[in-house]
Amino acid sequence: MYRVGRLFFVMDDNMRMFNTVAALAIPFIPHALVRKISRRYIAGESLDRAIERVQQLNALGFSATLDVLGETVSSLDEAEIMASEYIKVLDAIRVHRLNAEISIKPSALGLLVDEAACERLVKRILNAASLDENFACIDMEDVSCTQKEIDLFARLESNHDNVGLALQAYLKRTYEDIGQLPHVRSTVRICKGIYMENPVHLVGLAREDRAAINPHFINHVSRCFKAGAFVGIATHDTALVNEIVSLVDREEVDRRKFEFQMLLGVCEPLRDRLLGMGFNVRIYVPYGKDWYGYSTRRIKENPSIAGHVIKAMFDR
Ligand code: FDA
């Protein structure tokens, strides 16, 4: 039995329903409360805070990828500001000798405003990164960006060996996309996918059934290994992680050819376990002023957090 204000809930089915309803109520949660929760998922608003967080993670044995929060810009001026911030991040990584790379979102670098200008900005970032032998992974965004981002990656990869691409296992098209991409030089991140897409694009019948994505995820990881790509395995799903661990043991995959990747603040016992098993684990560390959208996406992904938030509101 679980009490929220004057309401009582029986655990399991009722609790799940409550959490789902709570997730739908997120837009009505006060910003101050979302901000408090966001501290778990976001290093802070400034680069200094992000550096501190990466230093802590590095000291524990994790590598990191730094993400400047912010999505779709509507002008090239905003895109320039984002590119300049990433150059500062790369400088900070060098100065503080961090074990970290960067993750970039092309929509925040003007992809939907001017593709050619976006490509110039990404090249500027990659050139800056290459001075310190650093690396950038292109995050995969919603389906309006998928083809553009794959094309961008393909063009960049022919001249830069320090760029990678995230691919989403929830998309049907990823089977074909992988067929075009990985070869010895490619670095790919396989993740389930985070955006609310039209089900026609998705592998599972029910959008909520995240476990249905798992066989596709494993298939993609396995194909990328066979193609010789370096694979970032980005998931917090314990069952999926266990299957991947069996796969890499069974196929004797070289541990230098893959790493597990997790988001800051999510499923920390699992990441610690993987590190303890001797695997490389990279933590995705977002920072910046645009914390609201990122935090609410994280809360929606794990409705039990939304349940705790609503409970906290009633209990106050
Ligand atoms: P799933 O959603 O099935 O969750 C598995 C378990 O983890 C569940 O028990 C769940 O409760 C728990 N969990 C998941 N999210 C949680 C949270 N916020 N808080 C607490 N528990 C949580 N997506 C994308 O579309 N493009 C991209 O480029 C990236 N990049 C990326 C990088 C990295 C390093 C990671 C880890 C993830 C991404 N993602 C992403 C997000 C990814 O697609 C996916 O939405 C999340 O990782 C959640 O999916 P899982 O694989 O963890 O499984």
Side-chain angles (χ1 to χ4, degrees):
M1 189 80 80
Y2 191 81
R3 183 172 181 272
V4 176
R6 290 163 54 202
L7 304 178
F8 287 88
F9 292 86
V10 178
M11 288 301 272
D12 297 334
D13 282 356
N14 285 353
M15 195 62 227
R16 259 195 298 279
M17 200 185 304
F18 170 70
N19 286 338
T20 305
V21 172
L24 294 173
I26 286 167
F28 307 103
I29 296 174
H31 275 225
L33 193 53
V34 175
R35 190 189 191 105
K36 200 168 158 203
I37 300 160
S38 76
R39 291 199 194 115
R40 171 174 167 177
Y41 299 115
I42 294 167
E45 288 198 5
S46 69
L47 178 55
D48 286 347
R49 291 282 87 77
I51 293 166
E52 279 169 22
R53 192 59 81 91
V54 172
Q55 283 169 328
Q56 290 160 2
L57 289 166
N58 285 173
L60 293 170
F62 298 102
S63 57
T65 182
L66 276 157
D67 165 59
V68 183
L69 289 170
E71 281 167 36
T72 314
V73 294
S74 49
S75 74
L76 288 182
D77 287 347
E78 292 170 87
E80 287 273 353
I81 292 170
M82 181 58 89
S84 304
E85 184 67 21
Y86 270 110
I87 307 282
K88 282 188 205 152
V89 174
L90 291 165
D91 285 346
I93 291 174
R94 186 190 61 250
V95 169
H96 295 275
R97 298 169 184 257
L98 304 177
N99 181 359
E101 53 191 40
I102 57 172
S103 287
I104 56 177
K105 286 191 174 52
S107 75
L109 292 161
L111 183 75
L112 302 176
V113 181
D114 179 338
E115 272 185 65
C118 171
E119 187 167 336
R120 280 196 295 278
L121 290 178
V122 177
K123 279 183 182 162
R124 191 191 297 168
I125 292 170
L126 292 179
N127 288 336
S130 68
L131 296 176
D132 309 312
E133 296 182 1
N134 210 328
F135 179 88
C137 183
I138 299 178
D139 285 350
M140 184 54 77
E141 302 180 78
D142 65 53
V143 289
S144 69
C145 297
T146 312
Q147 192 58 51
K148 288 183 169 57
E149 294 184 352
I150 288 174
D151 293 344
L152 174 69
F153 172 71
R155 288 194 300 274
L156 292 166
E157 208 209 10
S158 55
N159 290 310
H160 296 82
D161 57 8
N162 63 339
V163 62
L165 180 70
L167 291 166
Q168 298 153 325
Y170 69 1
L171 289 187
K172 287 179 191 159
R173 60 170 290 165
T174 298
Y175 280 93
E176 224 168 277
D177 293 337
I178 285 187
Q180 323 268 325
L181 283 177
H183 53 86
V184 176
R185 273 179 55 204
S186 289
T187 295
V188 286
R189 172 197 298 156
I190 305 292
C191 61
K192 286 195 184 181
I194 199 175
Y195 298 89
M196 293 292 286
E197 302 290 8
N198 184 322
V200 298
H201 300 298
L202 304 178
V203 290
L205 289 177
R207 202 164 15 203
E208 300 74 26
D209 185 6
R210 301 283 286 169
I213 304 168
N214 292 12
H216 305 280
F217 192 115
I218 290 171
N219 199 315
H220 299 321
V221 169
S222 174
R223 273 178 77 201
C224 291
F225 282 149
K226 288 195 177 106
F230 179 91
V231 190
I233 300 157
T235 181
H236 320 94
D237 181 335
T238 309
L240 187 51
V241 166
N242 289 342
E243 285 190 64
I244 303 269
V245 168
S246 301
L247 172 81
V248 296
D249 282 350
R250 201 172 52 245
E251 299 191 0
E252 297 181 351
V253 182
D254 185 337
R255 288 187 178 202
R256 288 168 302 181
K257 293 296 286 179
F258 69 95
E259 65 189 12
F260 287 96
Q261 299 184 347
M262 299 198 184
L263 302 174
L264 185 70
V266 178
C267 297
E268 293 175 351
L270 181 60
R271 77 180 198 192
D272 294 345
R273 176 158 74 86
L274 288 168
L275 194 70
M277 291 165 76
F279 290 112
N280 294 318
V281 184
R282 186 177 299 281
I283 307 298
Y284 189 102
V285 179
Y287 81 92
K289 297 199 189 317
D290 191 8
W291 49 268
Y292 183 78
Y294 185 86
S295 305
T296 50
R297 270 209 306 281
R298 297 276 85 77
I299 297 169
K300 274 185 204 150
E301 268 191 323
N302 187 5
S304 69
I305 295 180
H308 289 305
V309 174
I310 299 288
K311 180 176 177 302
M313 283 171 62
F314 279 91
D315 282 353
R316 273 190 307 176

